Amino acid sequence: MTSLNTWRYLLRAICPACIISREEYLLLAKVAEEAECYEDLVAQIKGLTQTYGALTIKERKLLSVAYKNITNPLRSSWRVVSLIRRQRVRIEKELTDACKDIVKLLNDSLLATAKVGEETVFYYKLKGDYYRYLAEFAQQQERSRCSDSSLAAYKFAYKHALAMLGPTHPTRLGLALNFAVYYHDVRKSPEKACHLGKHAFDEAVACLDDSSSMQVMRDSMTILQLLRDEER
C-alpha cells in the first residue's frame, strides 16, 4: 500500500460508508503528481472517476500528465530496443555473408588443393569454425544445418590431426580447443567439451620434452592453458 493511499484506507476502515470528497481525491492526486508517483496519480483519478463520473478540466489534465509520464519512458525504451533490433539484423546479415564467403572459398578452392597433414587440418578447422559461427545465431532449420556441417568438418579435421600431427602441434591443439567450444556452445554438451579438452591436454602434456622447439612449446602451452580453462 502506498503512503498516498494510507489516509484513504484509514478513512474507509473507520467509516466504510464514507465517500471521499472530490476535493480530497484531487488533493491526493496533486500530491502524487508532486512526488512523481504517477501510478498513484492514476489510482486517484480512477477512484475519482468511479465515484463522481465525468472529470473536470483540472482532473483531465492530471490524467493526461499521469499517463504521459508512465508511457514516455516506455516509448523511449521501445525505440532503443527497435534500433538495437535493426542493428542486430544488419550485423547478422554482414556476418552471415562473411562466413559463407570463406566457406565457399574453402569448398571451391582451398580444400581441394590442400596438402595432407597440417594444411588439411587447418582448412577443415576453419570450415568447422565458420559453420559454428553461423550456427550461433541462425534460426531453427538453418541452425541445425550449420551445426551439422560444423560437426562434420571438425570430426574430419580431428581424425586427420590424430593421424598426421603430434599431440603438441599448435594446429592440433587449436582444433581441439575450438572443437570443445563447439560442443559447449552449439551442442550444449559441457561433458563432451570437457572430455575432448582433457584428452587433448593429457596427450600433449605427456609428449612435451626438451626436444620440442621453444616456439612450439610456447604455442602449445598457451593453447593447453585455454583447454584446461575450457575443461573447467
Side-chain angles (χ1 to χ4, degrees), residues 118-141:
E118 192 275 339
E119 189 175 352
T120 293
V121 173
F122 180 84
Y123 285 143
Y124 271 96
K125 171 187 167 295
L126 278 186
K127 185 175 179 178
D129 289 343
Y130 284 93
Y131 270 122
R132 170 165 61 88
Y133 301 158
L134 288 168
E136 287 174 347
F137 63 87
Q139 301 297 317
Q140 297 175 348
Q141 291 184 347

Side-chain angles (χ1 to χ4, degrees), residues 57-97:
I57 293 176
K58 287 184 178 180
E59 293 160 356
R60 292 202 303 269
K61 286 183 178 179
L62 286 171
L63 177 68
S64 177
V65 166
Y67 278 102
K68 182 177 181 180
N69 281 278
I70 290 172
T71 58
N72 274 358
L74 296 172
R75 291 173 64 226
S76 296
S77 298
W78 178 85
R79 283 193 290 268
V80 170
V81 170
S82 296
L83 178 60
I84 292 172
R85 187 181 297 116
R86 288 195 295 271
Q87 288 291 86
R88 175 175 175 172
V89 170
R90 180 186 63 79
I91 293 169
E92 287 182 355
K93 172 67 167 56
E94 293 179 6
L95 179 56
T96 297
D97 291 344

Side-chain angles (χ1 to χ4, degrees), residues 19-28 48-49 51-56 59:
I19 298 176
I20 299 177
S21 70
R22 195 174 202 116
E23 290 73 21
E24 289 165 339
Y25 268 120
L26 190 58
L27 175 62
L28 289 172
L48 198 157
T49 302
T51 305
Y52 296 101
L55 300 176
T56 66
E59 293 160 356

Side-chain angles (χ1 to χ4, degrees), residues 39 67 76 78 96 102 108 110 118 130 156 159 163 178 193 222:
E39 289 80 4
Y67 278 102
S76 296
W78 178 85
T96 297
I102 188 173
D108 292 351
L110 297 176
E118 192 275 339
Y130 284 93
F156 185 91
K159 182 178 180 180
N178 288 16
T222 298

